[in-house]
Amino acid sequence: MPIERKLAAIMFTDIAGYTALSAKDSTKSSELLTTQRDTLKPIVEKHGGSWMKEMGDGLLLTFDSATSAVECSIAIQEATKDIEDLNLRIGIHEGEVIKQDGDVIGDDVNVASRIEPFSAVGGVAISDKIYRAISSNQEFETKYIGKPKLKGVAQEVKVHCITSHGLPETKLSDVSAKLEKSIKWWKFALPIVLISAIIGYYFLSQGKTIPSVAVMYMEINDSELEHLATITEDLIIDLVKTAPGLIKVSELKRVLKYKQSDLETDKLAKLLDVEYIFTSNLTLKNDGINLKCRLIEAATGLDKFINRWYIPRDKVQTITGLIVKN
């Protein structure tokens, strides 16, 4: 089929808490997807939207105009607000997309997917392009959220949320995505402090000279935490800055080559020219996050350090301060 390029408003939706619901009741979670489809499809069609694809509990929709997309998002939130467990976050962006084989791709599609986490549950987040397109319409009221650094997106993006029509305002304290002027947000500070402490403590306690270590990309085990995937890149850079002389950290560009690698630890260490491999992963746990870390000696394959921390979302700042102090 021929490639079609066109300007479109791109909408991503996501069901908040769906991962936890799936783990608890797979039948109910499956029925919820059917309810979502039956409820949303007529609304999307009414506003001239295209139902591009379903991605688990998420949807990718496109519209011919920004206004149509925004009006549809408001109608969706109004229609679903009283449906149990169908708690949606919606993100909208406008840009050029490539339509091919019933799908849409392009950098602007990626932008839309990255904006969605900035929506409040039951709310709508929009990019600056959508904001400008609807700004002359007094029917819509918005609030500026910030200028996030979005993974895999080259362009600068400003994010707003819609506050009219009874939609909830985005609270930055509830958003686990990194804003450009909020680098000290807990999710970056905590892993960096923990990893510095773990690696440094082990080698100093053993009276050994400081060896070389490769900090591998953090494994994200829940879709709701995927926006934290850039932690590793910041972690490697900041770890080099905060621990000079304490550990020799493999360069980011070298680690990046093996981001998706399934090589054995000893082979990976040899390719990266390091003695130790550090791995970590994040998993949702009730109202917090489990952070698990391992320091592996490449020559023996033994864990020199392994531990797991449960981090309540409302206690992370206290925990960070405690760790830093100690």
Side-chain angles (χ1 to χ4, degrees), residues 18-279:
Y18 185 79
T19 301
L21 178 63
S22 298
K24 183 179 179 181
D25 190 335
S26 59
T27 300
K28 190 174 183 179
S29 63
S30 178
E31 291 173 349
L32 186 62
L33 295 184
T34 300
T35 300
Q36 174 177 244
R37 189 181 306 113
D38 293 343
T39 304
L40 269 58
K41 265 200 170 183
I43 299 173
V44 173
E45 292 172 359
K46 179 180 177 180
H47 290 85
S50 297
W51 190 279
M52 300 309 301
K53 61 181 177 181
E54 300 176 23
M55 302 159 291
D57 61 303
L59 301 175
L60 169 57
L61 315 169
T62 61
F63 299 80
D64 290 334
S65 76
T67 300
S68 295
V70 171
E71 289 177 341
C72 183
S73 70
I74 293 170
I76 286 173
Q77 293 294 26
E78 177 64 27
T80 58
K81 66 181 182 180
D82 295 324
I83 299 178
E84 184 180 7
D85 294 320
L86 192 52
N87 306 308
L88 299 176
R89 285 187 292 254
I90 298 177
I92 312 174
H93 176 58
E94 185 177 54
E96 185 179 77
V97 299
I98 299 173
K99 281 194 171 185
Q100 188 176 28
D101 299 327
D103 197 3
V104 287
I105 58 175
D107 188 52
D108 288 300
V109 177
N110 294 332
V111 173
S113 69
R114 300 294 187 261
I115 287 175
E116 174 264 306
F118 286 84
S119 166
V121 176
V124 179
I126 60 175
S127 70
D128 200 50
K129 288 184 178 180
I130 296 292
Y131 167 76
R132 291 197 299 269
I134 67 171
S135 59
S136 61
N137 190 331
Q138 296 184 357
E139 177 186 358
F140 305 118
E141 296 176 5
T142 63
K143 181 176 180 179
Y144 177 68
I145 299 175
K147 186 167 60 175
K149 289 183 179 179
L150 305 178
K151 180 189 175 185
V153 174
Q155 59 183 284
E156 180 180 278
V157 181
K158 295 179 181 179
V159 181
H160 307 251
C161 65
I162 298 176
T163 56
S164 57
H165 299 81
L167 296 179
E169 177 183 321
T170 298
K171 295 181 180 179
L172 293 184
S173 59
D174 296 335
V175 176
S176 299
K178 182 178 65 176
L179 291 180
E180 189 170 60
K181 293 187 178 180
S182 303
I183 302 302
K184 294 183 180 179
W185 185 239
W186 65 268
K187 66 179 182 292
F188 299 101
L190 183 57
I192 291 169
V193 171
L194 284 174
I195 291 174
S196 297
I198 292 165
I199 299 175
Y201 173 79
Y202 170 72
F203 290 113
L204 290 176
S205 66
Q206 298 297 311
K208 298 183 178 182
T209 56
I210 302 305
S212 51
V213 181
V215 178
M216 306 310 297
Y217 268 78
M218 182 174 286
E219 180 182 348
I220 308 295
N221 295 323
D222 292 275
S223 59
E224 290 186 32
L225 300 177
E226 287 179 357
H227 55 275
L228 302 181
T230 56
I231 286 180
T232 304
E233 297 168 17
D234 295 88
L235 191 151
I236 292 173
I237 295 171
D238 290 351
L239 192 56
V240 172
K241 293 179 180 178
T242 57
L246 181 62
I247 53 176
K248 180 181 177 182
V249 185
S250 187
E251 295 179 356
L252 174 60
K253 63 181 180 181
R254 298 190 67 188
V255 173
L256 185 60
K257 294 180 181 179
Y258 304 100
K259 183 177 180 180
Q260 304 294 334
S261 175
D262 56 358
L263 291 172
E264 295 293 331
T265 300
D266 57 339
K267 294 180 181 179
L268 188 59
K270 186 175 182 179
L271 289 169
L272 291 170
D273 192 25
V274 296
E275 299 169 74
Y276 293 82
I277 297 292
F278 189 89
T279 65

